[in-house]
Amino acid sequence: MALIAIGQNRKMEDYLESVRRAGGEPVEVVVGADAPARILAGVDGVLLTGGGDVDPTLYGETPHDTFQAAEAGRDEFEMALAREAVARDIPLLAICRGMQVLNVAMGGTLIQDIPSQVPGALAHSVPQPRAGGAHEVWVAQGSRLSELLKDHMGDGETAHVNSRHHQSVKDIATGFEVTATSPDGVVEAMEKPGPTFVVAVQWHPENFWRTGEFRELFEGLVQAANGRKP
Ligand code: MN
């Protein structure tokens, strides 16, 4: 069974259940427990989770008034984990903060506060998943994300998602492509084109494990992780 490393966070149960129901075996990794390279030697895939803001000084900006740091050490640890996973072609799914960590780790930057920095932005900090989602996203044709969600999207290109973020990708890291945007232009997903599964979404698919609504994302990760076992 594919072992999936999951970084520490405050809502672990949803991530654990999402991975289990996709057929993977979650392995919780705590900041500083081991060097990222050693952790990755023992797993088949990585899941980067939600949480606080990435320290803006890590992408050359001064922190905005709304900055709320993640747990001590998470930025450096998770950025190293992301870089190592990409360098070693280890399948990676990054969610919310995880997507932001991945982008910064690979050289990208972030919008620090959508409400004050994106004119005309939709509400992206919607506390509870609602029927119909917080907003829609337009998924890029031909992307891995589009393939993963093909049975999910009635028209083949629109998905309704939940949304609990006030930051998003600004300049996307070199080698990555935007694969979903919301109607206000906010980046909602990105991936690294190529044979290795490196997929990131800004919404929270793990909240839906009871209904399986975004199960395809976790199944994609687990399948990719299984695929690289000898
Ligand atoms: Mn959103």
Side-chain angles (χ1 to χ4, degrees):
M1 187 181 279
L3 299 178
I4 307 294
I6 306 183
Q8 79 178 56
N9 69 91
R10 296 171 195 139
K11 294 176 184 164
M12 187 57 97
E13 190 204 354
D14 284 358
Y15 296 100
L16 296 175
E17 276 306 315
S18 293
V19 167
R20 288 190 190 113
R21 284 171 189 241
E25 187 174 332
V27 179
E28 293 183 53
V29 294
V30 179
V31 170
D34 208 342
R38 287 174 53 106
I39 289 170
L40 292 177
V43 298
D44 309 298
V46 175
L47 176 57
L48 292 176
T49 59
D53 300 339
V54 175
D55 182 348
T57 62
L58 292 168
Y59 51 93
E61 290 194 11
T62 305
H64 187 270
D65 290 345
T66 57
F67 173 64
Q68 285 200 306
E71 296 89 330
R74 268 188 77 177
D75 286 352
E76 294 75 9
F77 178 71
E78 292 176 352
M79 283 172 61
L81 207 55
R83 279 195 204 102
E84 282 279 343
V86 170
R88 292 165 181 243
D89 288 325
I90 293 174
L92 171 67
L93 175 63
I95 291 174
C96 196
R97 165 186 159 81
M99 170 162 154
Q100 296 161 8
V101 165
L102 175 63
N103 192 48
V104 174
M106 302 309 293
T109 64
L110 303 179
I111 291 171
Q112 290 198 48
D113 185 56
I114 293 169
S116 59
Q117 297 179 334
V118 179
L122 298 167
H124 287 272
S125 297
V126 182
Q128 297 296 332
R130 297 182 298 188
H135 61 70
E136 61 183 14
V137 296
W138 300 331
V139 176
Q141 299 294 296
S143 60
R144 190 184 291 267
L145 183 67
S146 170
E147 177 63 22
L148 288 167
L149 297 182
K150 67 178 188 296
D151 295 332
H152 183 94
M153 302 185 290
D155 64 356
E157 56 188 17
T158 308
H160 289 86
V161 301
N162 56 349
S163 191
R164 288 202 313 279
H165 60 112
H166 80 113
Q167 301 199 326
S168 62
V169 166
K170 184 160 67 179
D171 301 311
I172 193 166
T174 303
F176 283 75
E177 287 181 1
V178 173
T179 56
T181 50
S182 45
D184 54 3
V186 166
V187 175
E188 288 278 343
M190 66 178 201
E191 64 191 43
K192 188 171 185 289
T196 304
F197 185 104
V198 183
V199 171
V201 296
Q202 187 56 67
W203 67 92
H204 285 276
E206 80 284 3
N207 290 158
F208 296 99
W209 60 264
R210 292 175 184 81
T211 57
E213 209 173 323
F214 285 104
R215 186 177 179 159
E216 304 92 337
L217 299 178
F218 299 96
E219 287 174 345
L221 172 65
V222 169
Q223 277 173 23
N226 274 322
R228 67 181 291 282
K229 289 173 90 69

